[in-house]
Amino acid sequence: DAGVTQSPTHLIKTRGQQVTLRCSPKSGHDTVSWYQQALGQGPQFIFQYYEEEERQRGNFPDRFSGHQFPNYSSELNVNALLLGDSALYLCASSSLGRGQETQYFGPGTRLLVL
Amino acid sequence: DAKTTQPNSMESNEEEPVHLPCNHSTISGTDYIHWYRQLPSQGPEYVIHGLTSNVNNRMASLAIAEDRKSSTLILHRATLRDAAVYYCILLPEETSGSRLTFGEGTQLTVNP
């Protein structure tokens, strides 16, 4: 059983460009969350998708957008990249539940903005 | 969201027990206590969670204070592979999604 997979593993972009990151959830999971982790800090919640809709959103600008497909996979798009967007982007999947649900994280995509 | 407080770093020797503390004095009655850890160059992974009673699984034990204002993650015999950042996170039961609020966690160093 494959866990959460993310692509690409690494990416280098320049300021002002746009980037798309991809995530495939663990088998049987219907909910995908995205997190941004700056160097030396804990992950910060960006947003969560369930049934192809954004259910929750963290404190991130509209430059960050996402999508979930019928097969539950998801994309994270970031427009007009800034140097400060350089980070590890983590995808996590789970089954919608209450309080006790476990999130499974992928290995992340390391984005460097020059 | 209720806040958790953890030491920035801790050190242990291989094959010795490790007790990682977490303070959550503003915890509400329906908040679950979750622990995740993040090994170097990997995404976080779930370790254990509990509500009121102490919990054990194959990875660790979770000891919860009677007033629930603090908890301790116990690794019974630390190995080099347990070197990671450990995060203590509160999740409200009524949250029908699992948005995790990470702090800075505790960096655990395991010495051979």
Side-chain angles (χ1 to χ4, degrees), chain A residues 64-78:
Chain A
F64 289 78
S65 63
H67 188 78
Q68 186 179 36
F69 298 95
N71 67 353
Y72 307 121
S73 66
S74 177
E75 288 182 349
L76 164 66
N77 301 292
V78 186

Side-chain angles (χ1 to χ4, degrees), chain A residues 44-86:
Chain A
Q44 301 299 306
F45 177 80
I46 303 175
F47 43 53
Q48 181 184 85
Y49 277 84
Y50 170 69
E51 291 188 340
E52 302 180 48
E53 291 191 359
E54 184 182 291
R55 291 189 66 252
Q56 299 183 63
R57 188 177 183 92
N59 188 24
F60 280 80
D62 292 344
R63 298 187 298 109
F64 289 78
S65 63
H67 188 78
Q68 186 179 36
F69 298 95
N71 67 353
Y72 307 121
S73 66
S74 177
E75 288 182 349
L76 164 66
N77 301 292
V78 186
N79 295 321
L81 284 168
L82 303 174
L83 296 179
D85 294 332
S86 295

Side-chain angles (χ1 to χ4, degrees), chain B residues 10-20 73-79 82 108:
Chain B
M10 291 187 65
E11 201 166 324
S12 174
N13 296 319
E14 202 174 7
E15 298 190 4
E16 291 185 356
V18 181
H19 291 235
L20 298 165
L73 179 70
I74 303 166
L75 306 179
H76 295 286
R77 291 185 67 192
T79 68
D82 291 322
L108 175 65

